């Protein structure tokens, strides 16, 4: 008691950390406390946004929507363009998770146009390029997806920003996999994994494991792909993110696992998948690299 303002400020500053490492549950707990402690200040407005975007990452779309709408209104009241752009981007993520690709793409475009004028205040803003690229991957605009990913890579390298660089490598890898360039997709994904492992980013590490699994399916390395399918199942539960980036992403994961099952047979597939479920993060990364854990 008496230190609520400091706690609110710490919560707002640590949002980057919780989002970057996939510590969504911890971040949400502190944001719930921050919302109860503060109101009326710019930091309180950012706490509303943080509560919304963290809820979104765990698939709580119904809870996230009113928080983000409230944060958007506060951004207007405060004339805070950066907060407004963050809210627009988060609302686009919600639309993507709900499966509305055209609306998601349009909102990401709005956020990027605003960031182009005001700058990228944090890595989560910078990877708006990759979120729009993900939409383009699913709408078949693969050349644009690669171009957006490479623009994010360029800016990240100029700024010396590694977290966003790793995320952009993942998205370019996904676009390359969809275009049939599996070898370069694997190269990008392993490069992403090297960065994310060093940073401790469980969220994107899990996505990299998933992407390597679908690449291994394309290369007919079904046993290793099945292990990674199991590891991905385990890590999404650790993240407490049941919707797994929305219906399109979840369907790609399901389809890869089903292809493995058909190739290996039920018994062998389940054996490999169950082994993958028991892997630690370090062990799963070793499997992804085709190394002995």
């Amino acid at each position: 008691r008496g230190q609520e303002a400091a706690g609110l400020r710490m919560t707002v500053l640590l949002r980057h950390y919780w989002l970057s490492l996939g510590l969504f549950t911890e971040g949400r707990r502190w944001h719930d406390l921050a919302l109860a402690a503060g109101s009326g200040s710019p930091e309180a407005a950012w706490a509303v946004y943080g509560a919304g975007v963290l809820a979104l990452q765990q698939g709580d779309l119904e809870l996230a929507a009113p928080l983000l709408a409230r944060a958007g209104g506060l951004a207007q009241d405060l004339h805070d363009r950066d907060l407004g752009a963050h809210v627009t981007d988060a609302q686009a993520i919600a639309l993507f998770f709900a499966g509305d690709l055209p609306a998601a793409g349009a909102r990401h475009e709005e956020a990027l146009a605003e960031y182009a004028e005001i700058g990228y205040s944090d890595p989560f803003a910078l990877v708006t390029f990759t979120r729009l690229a993900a939409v383009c991957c699913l709408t078949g605009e693969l050349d644009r997806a690669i171009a957006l990913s490479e623009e994010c890579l360029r800016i990240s390298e100029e700024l010396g920003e590694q977290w966003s660089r790793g995320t952009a490598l993942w998205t370019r890898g996904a676009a390359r996999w969809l275009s049939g360039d599996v070898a370069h997709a694997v190269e990008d994904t392993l490069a992403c994994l090297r960065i994310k492992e060093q940073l401790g980013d469980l969220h994107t590490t899990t996505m990299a494991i998933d992407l390597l699994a679908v690449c291994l399916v394309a290369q007919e390395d079904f046993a290793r792909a099945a292990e990674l399918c199991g590891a991905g199942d385990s890590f999404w539960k650790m993240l407490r993110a049941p919707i797994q980036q929305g219906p399109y992403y979840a369907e790609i994961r399901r389809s890869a696992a089903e292809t493995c099952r058909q190739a290996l047979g039920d018994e062998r597939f389940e054996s490999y998948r169950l082994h993958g479920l028991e892997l630690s993060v370090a062990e799963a990364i070793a499997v992804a690299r085709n190394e002995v854990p």
Side-chain angles (χ1 to χ4, degrees):
R1 294 189 181 186
Q3 296 184 336
E4 290 86 354
L8 174 61
R9 177 165 173 73
M10 290 170 68
T11 299
V12 170
L13 290 172
L14 283 166
R15 182 187 72 253
H16 311 296
Y17 170 74
W18 290 315
L19 283 171
S20 296
L21 270 65
L23 298 173
F24 306 137
T25 301
E26 179 180 323
R28 291 182 71 183
R29 180 168 70 87
W30 286 105
H31 274 80
D32 286 345
L33 292 169
L35 290 180
S39 63
S41 69
E43 285 176 339
W46 277 97
V48 175
Y49 159 77
V53 77
L54 283 159
L56 194 57
Q57 295 299 315
Q58 292 192 313
D60 287 344
L61 304 186
E62 291 185 5
L63 179 63
L67 286 167
L68 293 173
R70 180 178 158 201
L74 291 169
Q76 288 185 336
D77 294 343
L78 294 165
H79 305 289
D80 188 335
R81 293 177 66 188
D82 190 25
L83 177 57
H86 275 72
V87 170
T88 298
D89 183 53
Q91 289 172 332
I93 297 171
L95 290 163
F96 183 86
F97 286 178
D100 190 342
L101 297 180
R107 296 293 274 169
H108 281 314
E109 297 270 18
E110 287 178 39
L112 272 179
E114 190 73 353
Y115 288 135
E117 292 188 12
I118 65 175
Y120 307 93
S121 61
D122 60 53
F124 202 72
L126 183 52
V127 297
T128 304
F129 281 105
T130 72
R131 288 190 275 273
L132 179 56
V135 174
C136 292
C137 281
L138 294 172
T139 56
E141 301 169 86
L142 298 180
D143 288 342
R144 189 178 184 214
I146 290 172
L148 286 163
S149 301
E150 290 179 346
E151 181 64 7
C152 187
L153 282 169
R154 183 187 67 78
I155 298 172
S156 298
E157 287 168 4
E158 285 181 0
L159 298 174
E161 184 13 70
Q162 288 300 300
W163 184 82
S164 56
R165 183 171 179 272
T167 302
L169 285 165
W170 184 94
T171 313
R172 187 174 70 178
R176 285 175 162 175
W177 165 68
L178 286 165
S179 68
D181 187 0
V182 178
H184 283 109
V186 169
E187 185 179 297
D188 276 345
T189 311
L190 289 174
C192 162
L193 201 52
R194 283 193 293 273
I195 293 170
K196 297 300 185 173
E197 181 186 20
Q198 291 175 354
L199 296 175
D201 177 0
L202 178 60
H203 186 216
T204 317
T205 293
T206 302
M207 294 175 66
I209 294 241
D210 286 346
L211 182 52
L212 284 166
V214 299
C215 289
L216 291 173
V217 169
Q219 294 175 334
E220 300 186 354
D221 188 347
F222 297 115
R224 197 149 58 100
E227 277 193 272
L228 293 182
C229 287
D233 290 342
S234 173
F235 299 157
W236 282 114
K237 288 180 181 176
M238 287 171 62
L239 290 162
R240 298 185 185 178
I243 66 168
Q244 300 170 6
Q245 301 292 106
Y248 296 101
Y249 187 98
E251 175 56 24
I252 289 169
R253 291 192 76 243
R254 188 206 63 78
S255 179
E258 185 57 31
T259 302
C260 286
R261 184 185 295 277
Q262 291 176 3
L264 296 169
D266 288 346
E267 187 174 342
R268 289 183 66 210
F269 171 76
E270 280 302 318
S271 175
Y272 285 116
R273 191 186 75 85
L274 290 172
H275 183 259
L277 279 171
E278 297 172 355
L279 295 175
S280 67
V281 175
E283 289 168 341
I285 289 172
V287 172
R289 292 175 177 154
N290 205 18
E291 300 171 347
V292 176

